[in-house]
Amino acid sequence: MTYNVFARASPENKIRIVKALQAQGQVASMTGDGVNDAPALKAADMGVAMGKEGTDVAREAAEMILADDNFATIIVAVREGRVVWDNLRKVLMVNTPINNAQGLSVLFGLILRVNNSQLILTGIQVLYCNLICAVTLGFVTAVEPAEDGIMDVPPRRVGKRLIGRYLFLRIALGTVALVCATVGGTAWAENVFKADGLSQAQYVDFVRSQASNTLTFGACFVTLSARFSYNSSLHPRLFTGNKYAWYSVAIVTVLQVAITYIPGLNTVIFQMGPMKAFQWGIVALLGVATFIIMECEKAVRRGLKGQGVDTDDTGYGFMDTPPEIDGDMALPKGASHLKLTELKD
């Protein structure tokens, strides 16, 4: 990595440069337009041929064709690729904790004997929560615009997985926060009803309403926090950039109110009772608590990153597959028809 500029490079020189970069674990991209560029275009991780002035041989050897022959377009493409990668991770950050919490809330509700060992969430409630959260909350993070500083992040290494160590920890933290909020809020409401002298048969539907709304609105708060990987959501930026995030929250709110209060729909289909005022207070309190927990985690990661810790998971972890270094300097397969001489040792 001592030299950065090479002039009047032959086809042999170009392919050696590409192979040398790959041997250092770098992602090598090659741009070219002529027949002599084809071997290096083929060998590179991303060969980019010129669409207007490039030869047919160069375009066939490349993985991507630059339609306007403008190098600035490559930067735009790299930026868009990073946005897609980040948003895929955000979708996982939203959907995975919510899906985990749906089953684990029922499990720990039974273990802790909440609601007198009856299910705190019925099957139809779990299916409804899974559907409505996946369709609304899960999709909005896929259309998030690029975050500030996205082009300042080092390139992702070959073999990196979507889920790294820190994303795994974030998912685990989100799962624990949602489960604790759902089970804790349900137990809290149950104790209030018991203190008022209600029997289990009288308050069971109200307790299930508490569990359903606490989980669903907690998922909304997780989504709002997950919109930004590093930047704080406790900022006016939360209300701008992606209007669909707020549309989805509004849709979820309307549907939750509907299944909670519409007669017949609540008691017959979802086995829920109309919530009392104090129950909405519990939902709001635990939702905000979940949001703050997720924001504190981001603040800790920002602090660790400032100290030089690899919170971006740029290094290889136990979930990654490091590539095998290919030290072969021969012409790539498929280049023989170009009638180029073999590389000299």
Side-chain angles (χ1 to χ4, degrees), residues 176-200:
V176 171
L178 283 176
V179 171
C180 290
T182 303
V183 177
T186 304
W188 187 353
E190 181 184 22
N191 290 333
V192 173
F193 287 125
K194 284 182 177 179
D196 290 341
L198 274 68
S199 66
Q200 197 270 342

Side-chain angles (χ1 to χ4, degrees), residues 199-222:
S199 66
Q200 197 270 342
Q202 291 175 309
Y203 67 69
V204 60
D205 287 348
F206 295 99
V207 169
R208 285 174 175 157
S209 292
Q210 184 71 61
S212 175
N213 283 287
T214 302
L215 175 58
T216 304
F217 284 104
C220 291
F221 281 102
V222 169

Side-chain angles (χ1 to χ4, degrees), residues 13 62 97 205 235 253 258 282 290:
N13 297 143
D205 287 348
H235 189 276
T253 301
I282 294 175
T290 301

Side-chain angles (χ1 to χ4, degrees), residues 86-104:
D86 280 357
N87 287 351
L88 283 173
R89 289 167 59 89
K90 290 174 184 177
V91 170
L92 290 174
M93 181 59 222
V94 171
N95 282 339
T96 310
I98 296 173
N99 292 340
N100 291 342
Q102 290 163 3
L104 291 176

Side-chain angles (χ1 to χ4, degrees), residues 85-97 100 160-175 226 228-230 294 297 301 310-313 318-319:
W85 176 267
D86 280 357
N87 287 351
L88 283 173
R89 289 167 59 89
K90 290 174 184 177
V91 170
L92 290 174
M93 181 59 222
V94 171
N95 282 339
T96 310
N100 291 342
K160 291 294 295 181
R161 304 291 185 184
L162 267 173
I163 299 181
R165 295 166 298 174
Y166 281 88
L167 180 58
F168 179 81
L169 291 175
R170 290 188 70 198
I171 291 173
L173 179 63
T175 301
F228 308 102
S229 299
Y230 270 102
M294 302 308 295
E297 183 273 337
R301 276 192 298 117
D310 180 21
T311 58
D312 291 313
D313 285 325
F318 66 95
M319 297 183 178

